[in-house]
Amino acid sequence: MQPTIQKMCGITGILQRQPDIESLAKNIDRMRDALVHRGPDDCDSWVDHDHGHVALGHRRLAVLDLSPLGAQPMHSVDERYVLVFNGEIYNFRCLREMLRAQGHTFRGGSDTEVVLAAFVEWGIPAAL
C-alpha cells in the first residue's frame, strides 16, 4: 500500500542583520521558487523595503479560498502585519464571526485573513 503524500504550501523567510533590499528580493524569490513542488497554484514574495532586514515568500497550494483573495504573503487591512501561513485554523469561521461583530471586514474566505484580523484585534500573543 502506497503512503498518502500530503501536499502543503511552501513558505520561506529571511531575517538578516545588515539591510540589503536587493539581496533580500533576489534570495527570497530563489528560495520561494525552489519550493514550486509545494505550491503550484501561485507564488509571491514580500520584502520590507522600509528597513531591508526581512523578506517572506510563499508557494500556494489553494485549499480553502481558491480565489486571488487568498494569496500570500497577505497583509492585514491596516497594513501593520504581513503573514505567510501554512496550516489550518479549524475554528476560523467562528473566529471570523466574532471579529465581524467587532467591526472587521473580510475580502476573501481564507483562514489566513482571519489570523491577521485576530492579530489586529487582540494582539499576536492573545490571538495565538
Side-chain angles (χ1 to χ4, degrees):
M1 186 169 161
Q2 291 281 53
T4 302
I5 297 173
Q6 298 294 324
K7 288 189 173 185
M8 60 181 83
C9 298
I11 60 174
T12 61
I14 300 172
L15 174 62
Q16 63 187 25
R17 293 177 192 253
Q18 299 300 319
D20 185 345
I21 293 169
E22 186 177 319
S23 75
L24 272 176
K26 180 178 78 172
N27 290 328
I28 199 67
D29 287 349
R30 285 178 49 222
M31 292 167 63
R32 180 203 66 209
D33 291 345
L35 297 175
V36 68
H37 62 283
R38 295 285 297 274
D41 297 325
D42 195 12
C43 69
D44 203 0
S45 299
W46 171 83
V47 175
D48 178 6
H49 289 281
D50 293 334
H51 302 99
H53 295 280
V54 179
L56 302 171
H58 189 264
R59 293 294 317 195
R60 185 172 184 206
L61 178 67
V63 176
L64 287 177
D65 184 346
L66 307 181
S67 78
L69 297 173
Q72 296 184 40
M74 187 178 287
H75 298 256
S76 59
V77 172
D78 67 1
E79 297 289 322
R80 180 176 180 190
Y81 302 105
V82 179
L83 179 67
V84 291
F85 175 70
N86 182 33
E88 188 172 350
I89 307 299
Y90 294 110
N91 65 336
F92 83 95
R93 288 179 183 87
C94 175
L95 293 171
R96 177 186 300 268
E97 292 311 311
M98 291 171 59
L99 290 160
R100 273 200 178 117
Q102 297 295 318
H104 290 269
T105 58
F106 296 92
R107 299 172 288 233
S110 76
D111 52 356
T112 304
E113 190 175 16
V114 172
V115 170
L116 285 166
F119 287 173
V120 170
E121 184 64 31
W122 302 312
I124 293 172
L128 295 176

